[in-house]
Amino acid sequence: QVQLRESGGRLVQAGGSLRLSCAASGRTETPYAMGWFRQAPGKEREFVAAITWSGDSPYYADSVKGRFTISRDSAKNTVRLQMNGLKPEDTAVYYCAAGALQRAVIAGRIDYWGQGTQVTVSS
């Protein structure tokens, strides 16, 4: 079992920046790809970004490409999401996710989810 805990969500003005963190605990010796998803009110959960177990080949949804950066510190079992140029439409609960492979995470085949952290972007 792997437990994921997100932090860093808060209220921010449009154009601002925010960094989310996800700390993994439990069976972290198993190599998992990691990612971030988000769910806005009344909408389905959607993919945001994913990164391989080794921290290579970050992949992004078109809606965040060029604004968000995913990174990984395997030694600290932490994944981060740096969000710049935030827009009101980025408002959502952001979830950390772990899956067997990066392409599985991108496809939504997730083994473990975090509880989520709220990001609210005011206009």
Side-chain angles (χ1 to χ4, degrees):
Q1 289 287 335
V2 174
Q3 293 79 44
L4 304 174
R5 175 174 290 185
E6 304 93 337
S7 62
R10 62 177 176 85
L11 173 65
V12 63
Q13 289 189 333
S17 297
L18 204 57
R19 187 175 74 172
L20 304 182
S21 294
C22 172
S25 61
R27 298 190 65 176
T28 58
E29 68 278 8
T30 302
Y32 286 101
M34 301 292 293
W36 289 91
F37 287 72
R38 66 186 182 186
Q39 187 167 17
K43 295 187 177 181
E44 292 187 354
R45 193 173 298 189
E46 65 175 5
F47 168 78
V48 175
I51 196 165
T52 63
W53 171 76
S54 60
D56 297 330
S57 304
Y59 185 86
Y60 303 94
D62 288 342
S63 57
V64 306
K65 199 173 296 182
R67 300 188 298 123
F68 290 11
T69 302
I70 187 171
S71 62
R72 181 169 194 163
D73 184 342
S74 295
K76 296 182 179 180
N77 295 319
T78 300
V79 176
R80 296 185 176 88
L81 186 68
Q82 178 67 41
M83 304 186 293
N84 299 327
L86 284 162
K87 305 175 182 179
E89 51 264 42
D90 294 319
T91 295
V93 177
Y94 283 71
Y95 296 91
C96 181
L101 298 170
Q102 186 188 36
R103 61 176 180 266
V105 172
I106 294 168
R109 296 193 299 272
I110 304 300
D111 293 326
Y112 300 103
W113 290 100
Q115 292 298 309
T117 185
Q118 176 70 48
V119 172
T120 303
V121 184
S122 63
S123 57

